[in-house]
């Protein structure tokens, strides 16, 4: 198992053992487990990530394909956008979601709010400046 996969497995286990809460660098942050299928392999994958809840719609969350400021998009992003759907574990709830990529001013507004709440996201954006725009996905309960 790769170091990243091992790290993800630990976060996933902690999330499930603690009703959606994890410690360490994510302590107190809203976390979700996103289930998606590999677009090449068809294998079920689970990716833990921070999310931003929608202001008024409780069935909508936003996730950010930051990959910690890496120059390439994460695989989970490509898998979700190719499929247009997936599922999430949020707290103790699990449900199917539809996927929509935000663009333009809408994307910029949502990303700016995440970066305001969690300054690490501003750092990720600085790292990717001139290389790529970090995608923002809306996950809406189906």
């Amino acid at each position: 198992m790769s170091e990243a996969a091992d790290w993800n497995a630990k976060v996933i286990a902690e999330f499930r053992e603690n009703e959606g809460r994890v410690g360490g660098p994510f302590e107190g942050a809203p976390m979700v487990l996103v289930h998606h299928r590999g677009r090449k392999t068809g294998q079920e994958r689970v990716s833990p990530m921070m999310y931003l809840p929608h202001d008024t719609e409780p069935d909508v969350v936003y996730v950010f394909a930051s990959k910690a400021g890496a120059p390439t998009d994460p695989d989970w992003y490509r898998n979700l956008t190719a499929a247009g759907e997936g599922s999430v574990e949020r707290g103790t709830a699990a449900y199917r979601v539809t996927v929509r990529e935000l663009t333009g001013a809408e994307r910029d507004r949502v990303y700016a709010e995440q970066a305001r709440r969690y300054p690490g996201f501003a750092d990720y954006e600085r790292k990717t400046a001139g290389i790529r725009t970090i995608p923002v996905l809306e996950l809406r309960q189906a």
Side-chain angles (χ1 to χ4, degrees):
M1 183 177 289
S2 74
E3 186 175 327
D6 186 50
W7 184 85
N8 277 353
K10 289 176 183 174
V11 172
I12 291 165
E14 184 178 4
F15 179 100
R16 289 175 174 158
E17 290 167 5
N18 295 293
E19 299 180 338
R21 292 181 302 276
V22 298
F26 299 113
E27 188 165 359
M31 295 290 295
V32 65
L33 300 182
V34 177
H35 295 247
H36 51 97
R37 291 213 172 273
R39 64 198 179 290
K40 295 177 185 174
T41 66
Q43 290 184 324
E44 171 91 7
R45 310 268 188 214
V46 180
S47 299
M49 58 191 79
M50 290 176 62
Y51 71 88
L52 178 68
H54 189 281
D55 290 338
T56 59
E57 296 184 52
D59 294 340
V60 174
V61 299
Y62 302 106
V63 294
F64 307 86
S66 66
K67 201 175 178 182
T72 60
D73 293 326
D75 288 339
W76 64 259
Y77 159 76
R78 290 190 297 274
N79 292 341
L80 284 172
T81 55
E85 63 181 13
S87 62
V88 299
E89 294 176 57
R90 184 175 170 198
T92 58
Y95 53 89
R96 304 277 316 150
V97 294
T98 58
V99 177
R100 179 177 74 91
E101 185 165 356
L102 305 186
T103 59
E106 182 183 28
R107 179 257 171 226
D108 295 346
R109 179 186 57 77
V110 171
Y111 195 93
E113 180 59 23
Q114 182 72 351
R116 185 189 70 75
R117 293 182 189 193
Y118 301 97
F121 284 85
D123 291 337
Y124 303 154
E125 194 164 45
R126 278 191 287 280
K127 288 180 182 178
T128 61
I131 301 167
R132 70 179 178 104
T133 300
I134 295 172
V136 177
L137 298 181
E138 174 190 274
L139 305 181
R140 179 179 296 272
Q141 186 169 356

